Amino acid sequence: MFHLLYIFFRALIIFYCITVIFADNLLFGGGGYNAFYIENKLYFIGSYLQDHFYIDLKDLSLENGTIYNAPRISVDSPPNYVVSKNPFIGGNSNKKLFFIDKKSTYGLYVDTFNTELNKWETNNSYKGLPNEDLSFDRAWVTNEATGISYSFQGELNTFSIPGCIPVLLSSGQILYIGGKLYSFNQTLMNRILTYDSIKDSWQINNTTGKTPEERTGHTAVLTSDGRVIVYGGENNLSKSAIPYLTILDTSKTPFMWSTPIEENSIGSLNSHTSVMVKNYMITAFGTNSSEKGLNQIFKNIYKLDTSNLSNYKWSLLFKYEVEQSIPISNKNSSQTSPITPIQTNSTSDKDNASFNNFVSTRLSTRWIIAILVIVIALICLLIFLIYKFILNKKI
């Protein structure tokens, strides 16, 4: 009997190790991430089951072909109710990530992750309420000069446009690129829905040049000289939108589309994330539909050199490795913060107690899987032992 137990627990340990590696490989990468560049760090904020982490670019030159090979740094897990898919930058010096969540029992909550202190600040106080019920799958864009963030939540001329990507120009205009008109056809790319945040007015900007195919699941980022780089996404047929990479020059009137030469193309991605870092568009993760209709999950991070206006060059920045991440400790952080953290406020002691119960820290995905494996294994062991006991009793 003891020999059987020894073999069983050895097998359990091996199975646990395989399960943890499988979980990391399965849940890392793919869609669901948002990228932010703050203080030389690239933050990647995942969906509920995915890790939040950053990679530090302080000592890495993007101009050469160096690949980032240091471990990715995991940040603290958020409270278990934080399910917002589209956080946004804000706070003093734009060093906080804001998450807006709504629970029927507790109402609307604004939570932040302080990138200087590497800590969550929950249930922050706020004034006023949004005019519309917030849809948490709609993207936000922040004017870092004014500290005001915008999200197109409502309808315009009876149409809502989910999946559009907001791009804020230096003029204060917000372009909404791509997306769908409810569940109907995708929006045309030659007529750009535009909101003027200074005049508080809407308009349609017609474009010139070779119009790219309409798309969803794409990204759109702005360069310092007014180029909007649109990459990836799928068309109405769930195929890769053509061209994969397209440029909207907003320095021209009217805006003009063009298709640059791509060097070392990585193909097309869908549901990926992109952010500008100096002259480079950093693109990470996402999926790509193969010819057989199977979604391939991408786990690497790439950079696109946009300094040459007619020739854009791709290269690898970060290669995914299983179990590469390391945790970060708030107490041991070498960073010092001149910013006073936002103080959390509650309306009453009763509400505060309820909230504290509600925001108990969630278990990491690996621990959840590990616990499930152990519980199932123990149940199987118990059934086996009962069977052996009954069998021996009959003999």
Side-chain angles (χ1 to χ4, degrees):
M1 179 63 70
F2 289 107
H3 179 67
L4 290 175
L5 288 175
Y6 172 77
I7 295 175
F8 174 80
F9 282 110
R10 283 287 300 271
L12 179 62
I13 292 172
I14 295 173
F15 182 63
Y16 165 75
C17 294
I18 294 174
T19 302
V20 169
I21 294 174
F22 173 76
D24 185 87
N25 184 66
L26 179 65
L27 297 175
F28 185 85
Y33 281 93
N34 284 280
F36 301 92
Y37 182 61
I38 305 173
E39 289 288 289
N40 295 315
K41 294 182 176 67
L42 268 175
Y43 285 86
F44 293 95
I45 306 301
S47 62
Y48 181 70
L49 290 178
Q50 294 168 316
D51 289 338
H52 300 342
F53 69 94
Y54 71 82
I55 61 176
D56 195 338
L57 301 181
K58 181 179 179 181
D59 299 320
L60 182 71
S61 174
L62 296 176
E63 281 71 25
N64 54 39
T66 304
I67 296 178
Y68 181 93
N69 54 15
R72 61 184 191 269
I73 312 294
S74 294
V75 301
D76 289 343
S77 296
N80 57 5
Y81 66 90
V82 175
V83 296
S84 175
K85 297 179 180 178
N86 291 289
F88 54 90
I89 290 178
N92 295 331
S93 303
N94 298 300
K95 294 178 182 178
K96 293 185 179 182
L97 295 175
F98 281 72
F99 297 75
I100 299 179
D101 286 278
K102 182 177 181 181
K103 290 291 183 180
S104 58
T105 305
Y106 297 96
L108 189 69
Y109 280 92
V110 177
D111 303 290
T112 60
F113 178 74
N114 189 320
T115 61
E116 285 196 314
L117 301 179
N118 294 304
K119 63 179 292 187
W120 286 88
E121 298 162 348
T122 58
N123 193 19
N124 293 293
S125 60
Y126 59 88
K127 295 181 180 179
L129 288 171
N131 296 327
E132 303 282 345
D133 287 336
L134 292 181
S135 175
F136 301 116
D137 61 351
R138 303 293 178 88
W140 290 76
V141 64
T142 300
N143 186 330
E144 297 188 12
T146 64
I148 300 176
S149 299
Y150 303 86
S151 179
F152 181 27
Q153 295 281 328
E155 298 179 355
L156 186 65
N157 295 330
T158 72
F159 286 112
S160 174
I161 308 182
C164 58
I165 306 299
V167 177
L168 176 65
L169 305 182
S170 58
S171 63
Q173 290 183 312
I174 302 176
L175 311 183
Y176 289 92
I177 310 293
K180 284 188 176 183
L181 301 176
Y182 276 131
S183 58
F184 305 117
N185 292 334
Q186 293 162 325
T187 56
L188 299 177
M189 302 288 279
N190 61 352
R191 304 178 73 244
I192 307 297
L193 177 65
T194 304
Y195 173 69
D196 191 321
S197 63
I198 298 176
K199 298 179 181 179
D200 189 22
S201 62
W202 291 89
Q203 68 183 66
I204 298 292
N205 276 313
N206 294 317
T207 65
T208 61
K210 187 175 181 180
T211 304
E213 203 170 14
E214 61 274 9
R215 63 195 67 201
T216 55
H218 57 292
T219 55
V221 297
L222 181 69
T223 64
S224 59
D225 60 359
R227 287 170 290 156
V228 178
I229 303 176
V230 179
Y231 170 64
E234 294 183 343
N235 59 22
N236 284 324
L237 301 176
S238 297
K239 302 294 184 181
S240 296
I242 303 298
Y244 302 157
L245 184 71
T246 184
I247 310 299
L248 181 65
D249 190 347
T250 63
S251 67
K252 299 182 181 298
T253 304
F255 300 156
M256 187 175 75
W257 288 106
S258 63
T259 303
I261 297 173
E262 274 189 86
E263 188 175 340
N264 302 330
S265 175
I266 62 173
S268 178
L269 295 179
N270 181 52
S271 300
H272 52 287
T273 183
S274 297
V275 64
M276 283 300 300
V277 178
K278 301 177 182 178
N279 289 325
Y280 291 83
M281 181 180 77
I282 307 298
T283 294
F285 315 134
T287 62
N288 188 2
S289 298
S290 66
E291 294 180 357
K292 297 181 180 180
L294 300 175
N295 283 332
Q296 179 183 359
I297 296 177
F298 281 74
K299 299 177 181 293
N300 296 332
I301 302 174
Y302 300 90
K303 61 181 179 180
L304 178 69
D305 187 350
T306 67
S307 56
N308 187 324
L309 300 186
S310 60
N311 191 324
Y312 289 47
K313 183 178 180 180
W314 288 99
S315 58
L316 182 66
L317 176 63
F318 169 88
K319 184 174 178 60
Y320 167 75
E321 299 290 346
V322 175
E323 291 295 328
Q324 193 201 40
S325 64
I326 60 175
I328 187 168
S329 170
N330 294 332
K331 294 181 180 179
N332 297 329
S333 174
S334 60
Q335 301 183 53
T336 58
S337 172
I339 299 174
T340 302
I342 295 176
Q343 300 297 317
T344 59
N345 295 313
S346 301
T347 57
S348 67
D349 292 340
K350 182 178 179 180
D351 289 342
N352 190 53
S354 299
F355 180 79
N356 288 336
N357 291 332
F358 181 59
V359 299
S360 57
T361 305
R362 70 176 184 180
L363 294 173
S364 70
T365 304
R366 295 185 183 90
W367 277 109
I368 293 174
I369 294 175
I371 290 172
L372 287 176
V373 169
I374 293 173
V375 169
I376 293 172
L378 290 176
I379 292 175
C380 293
L381 176 62
L382 180 61
I383 294 173
F384 174 75
L385 292 176
I386 293 174
Y387 168 76
K388 293 290 291 184
F389 174 77
I390 294 174
L391 187 63
N392 291 334
K393 191 174 182 181
K394 288 182 178 180
I395 296 175

